């Protein structure tokens, strides 16, 4: 099921299961995962996009191997907050993925996640070639960490347990 509200998404998460975060691009999908305590996001890999079925099969392998309990998709809103064609594409991916998995799915505003990832990689003195190889899954890590930080705040506020 797809949830727009983070509280509703959090309520559906199975206990002690990790999350997977995706940064969907036209050519690649950046993938990051969390630990089962939902405390830290770790960039995992970049999947080169082919067809939905092939992409979904690879993501399904990761989901099974990592015992994933929920999916977070970066939603590439415009800087003014509006949704353009890339958001429509992301929402379509979510609808298609929802048909093949029972896990809860939500979105996270990914504005500036790639910029933050690029900045972190530059600060780490990463070569241009290496940055190109890892930028997508590092951006997915930033997206997923944003969700984890929000869930932590919600727990502290008593919004969720």
């Amino acid at each position: 099921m797809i949830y727009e509200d983070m509280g509703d998404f959090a309520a559906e998460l199975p206990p002690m299961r990790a999350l997977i975060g995706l940064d969907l691009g036209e050519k690649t999908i950046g993938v990051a995962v969390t630990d089962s305590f939902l405390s830290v996001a770790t960039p995992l890999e970049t999947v080169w996009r082919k067809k939905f079925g092939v992409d979904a099969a690879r993501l399904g392998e990761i989901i099974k191997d990592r015992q994933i309990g929920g999916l977070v998709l970066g939603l590439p809103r415009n800087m003014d907050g509006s949704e353009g064609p890339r958001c429509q594409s992301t929402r379509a991916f979510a609808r298609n993925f929802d048909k093949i998995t029972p896990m809860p799915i939500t979105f996270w505003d990914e504005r500036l996640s790639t910029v933050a990832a690029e900045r972190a990689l530059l600060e780490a003195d990463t070569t241009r070639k290496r940055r190109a190889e890892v930028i997508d899954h590092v951006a997915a890590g930033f997206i997923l960490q944003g969700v984890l930080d929000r869930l932590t705040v919600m727990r502290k506020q008593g919004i969720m347990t």
Side-chain angles (χ1 to χ4, degrees):
M1 177 148 263
I2 299 172
Y3 298 92
E4 293 290 334
D5 180 78
M6 189 59 61
D8 294 340
F9 171 75
E12 294 300 316
L13 293 175
M16 298 304 294
R17 298 288 292 272
L19 299 179
I20 187 169
L22 305 179
D23 180 22
L24 295 176
E26 290 181 18
K27 296 178 182 177
T28 60
I29 301 172
V31 181
V33 295
T34 69
D35 60 325
S36 60
F37 297 106
L38 304 182
S39 59
V40 66
T42 304
L44 184 64
E45 69 179 75
T46 298
V47 175
W48 285 92
R49 294 188 81 168
K50 295 174 179 72
K51 292 191 287 188
F52 176 79
V54 175
D55 300 343
R58 175 63 192 130
L59 296 172
E61 291 171 5
I62 296 169
I63 289 166
K64 182 180 174 194
D65 292 347
R66 301 272 178 165
Q67 298 181 339
I68 302 295
L71 170 65
V72 177
L73 289 165
L75 194 62
R77 294 182 183 273
N78 296 321
M79 289 308 287
D80 65 1
S82 64
E83 293 190 12
R86 289 187 59 223
C87 281
Q88 293 171 1
S89 175
T90 299
R91 289 187 183 281
F93 184 94
R95 285 190 301 273
N96 290 333
F97 208 80
D98 187 47
K99 292 175 185 172
I100 62 172
T101 183
M103 79 170 52
I105 299 171
T106 196
F107 303 102
W108 186 256
D109 185 345
E110 72 165 49
R111 281 180 281 187
L112 303 179
S113 63
T114 302
V115 173
E118 182 84 22
R119 184 175 296 131
L121 291 168
L122 284 168
E123 288 175 8
D125 202 26
T126 309
T127 65
R128 182 173 297 173
K129 181 180 182 218
R130 183 69 179 143
R131 283 195 311 268
E133 293 169 355
V134 302
I135 190 71
D136 295 314
H137 59 273
V138 172
F142 273 90
I143 292 164
L144 195 51
Q145 190 63 51
V147 170
L148 295 180
D149 294 346
R150 176 67 182 131
L151 293 175
T152 298
V153 168
M154 291 170 70
R155 266 190 233 101
K156 287 180 180 177
Q157 294 175 340
I159 297 171
M160 63 175 274
T161 56

